Amino acid sequence: MARSTRGGAACRASGAASGSGSGRARGGRAGGGGRGGRGGRGSGGRGGHGGRRVGYIPYEAPVFGPTQSLAFDSRNGADWNEALLDTPGIESIRFGGDFSVKDEHLLAIAVRPALGASLKSLSLGDADTGTGGSITNAGVVSLVTACPHLRVLTLDAAIKINDATLLKCCEACPSLERLRITGHDRVTGAVTGTSLKKLKTSQELAPQLKELVLYDQSENGVEALSKARRTLAIKVGRTMGDSMRAKSTGDCEVLFTYMGGKMVGIDI
């Protein structure tokens, strides 16, 4: 997939290198930190890139303790244990970048009222491995409908998730503070920008939203929404990841942050 048209040559010239991310917890229980991994890409944000930010303080996700968190990381799903979902007081669930997450895993969460009432953070997928690509709109709608107290929702490499589902996330989860829906370097996502027009005119949707991350998606409506919701940071751009194109050309990604109708950050 083509890199961003803005700043690409400078990106190649800079030779900016990705930093290594934090390690992954293995097994069912996990600490509150998000997965770093592969050049810092993951639900915990981006790391290891040089960049420029003006007047913008990045959103800090809530941290959950080990007794409040579950993580499933195994590539073959060996550490998936549905019984763990019945553990009282779980507030955070992370499906790691190697875990082939599917709708059935989201539905297992959605059918548990106690878990739905306590869950505040869920992350899945990875833009390098492509996990997240099997998730459908129906699966996400079932999840957010059952989990109205979500504050952080990360759907990486979720190439099927469209504008209608983005709006459903905002409608079903009024406490949502951070929403991340990305494609990946080989396939762009299905968000076209019509949802951003709705968020612009219907500010009662997700009134607490502080950060909207839409990497590898259409950028239609981004600046207009940024002007209308001046405290909302919107992150867009095209990732390069581990694709053969990135390796053969030396291109790297350039990512942009908008806030208050202006570009306030560039990550290279």
Side-chain angles (χ1 to χ4, degrees):
M1 186 194 69
R3 58 180 165 81
S4 172
T5 57
R6 293 169 290 186
C11 175
R12 290 196 302 274
S14 70
S18 297
S20 60
S22 59
R24 274 173 283 177
R26 292 286 178 181
R29 289 286 185 179
R35 177 180 180 271
R38 297 177 179 81
R41 180 183 295 108
S43 58
R46 306 192 66 88
H49 291 283
R52 172 173 63 84
R53 290 188 176 89
V54 181
Y56 163 61
I57 301 175
Y59 170 72
E60 292 188 11
V63 177
F64 303 95
T67 62
Q68 302 168 302
S69 307
L70 295 175
F72 303 100
D73 287 294
S74 174
R75 183 183 298 274
N76 61 7
D79 62 350
W80 169 247
N81 183 350
E82 192 169 331
L84 290 174
L85 300 179
D86 294 318
T87 305
I90 294 299
E91 297 186 34
S92 174
I93 296 177
R94 175 174 59 81
F95 294 98
D98 290 328
F99 189 95
S100 184
V101 61
K102 297 179 172 61
D103 279 357
E104 62 190 70
H105 301 110
L106 302 187
L107 295 177
I109 296 170
V111 298
R112 289 171 161 80
L115 179 58
S118 65
L119 195 63
K120 294 181 175 62
S121 176
L122 184 136
S123 64
L124 62 84
D126 184 276
D128 287 337
T129 64
T131 57
S134 297
I135 295 299
T136 71
N137 291 288
V140 173
V141 168
S142 295
L143 173 77
V144 298
T145 302
C147 304
H149 303 298
L150 281 172
R151 294 171 58 190
V152 177
L153 179 59
T154 297
L155 307 172
D156 274 338
I159 57 176
K160 299 177 182 177
I161 304 308
N162 61 22
D163 290 272
T165 300
L166 187 157
L167 287 174
K168 184 62 178 180
C169 293
C170 294
E171 175 187 325
C173 304
S175 299
L176 200 61
E177 296 174 358
R178 184 178 194 261
L179 177 60
R180 173 173 168 136
I181 305 175
T182 76
H184 55 75
D185 61 321
R186 296 171 181 83
V187 183
T188 53
V191 175
T192 66
T194 59
S195 55
L196 305 193
K197 295 179 182 178
K198 182 67 173 179
L199 288 177
K200 173 188 172 184
T201 58
S202 302
Q203 297 197 25
E204 71 277 6
L205 294 173
Q208 305 302 316
L209 195 62
K210 296 179 175 63
E211 186 172 273
L212 178 62
V213 183
L214 298 172
Y215 296 141
D216 297 313
Q217 306 279 9
S218 168
E219 297 179 20
N220 291 335
V222 168
E223 291 189 47
L225 176 60
S226 177
K227 290 178 182 178
R229 294 196 177 198
R230 302 191 68 83
T231 60
L232 173 64
I234 308 174
K235 293 176 171 288
V236 296
R238 298 288 184 265
T239 59
M240 292 304 298
D242 293 335
S243 69
M244 292 302 295
R245 170 177 165 75
K247 293 176 180 178
S248 63
T249 65
D251 286 349
C252 59
E253 58 207 19
V254 183
L255 307 172
F256 304 89
T257 300
Y258 287 86
M259 194 172 190
K262 301 177 180 178
M263 187 190 299
V264 297
I266 301 175
D267 285 307
I268 299 174

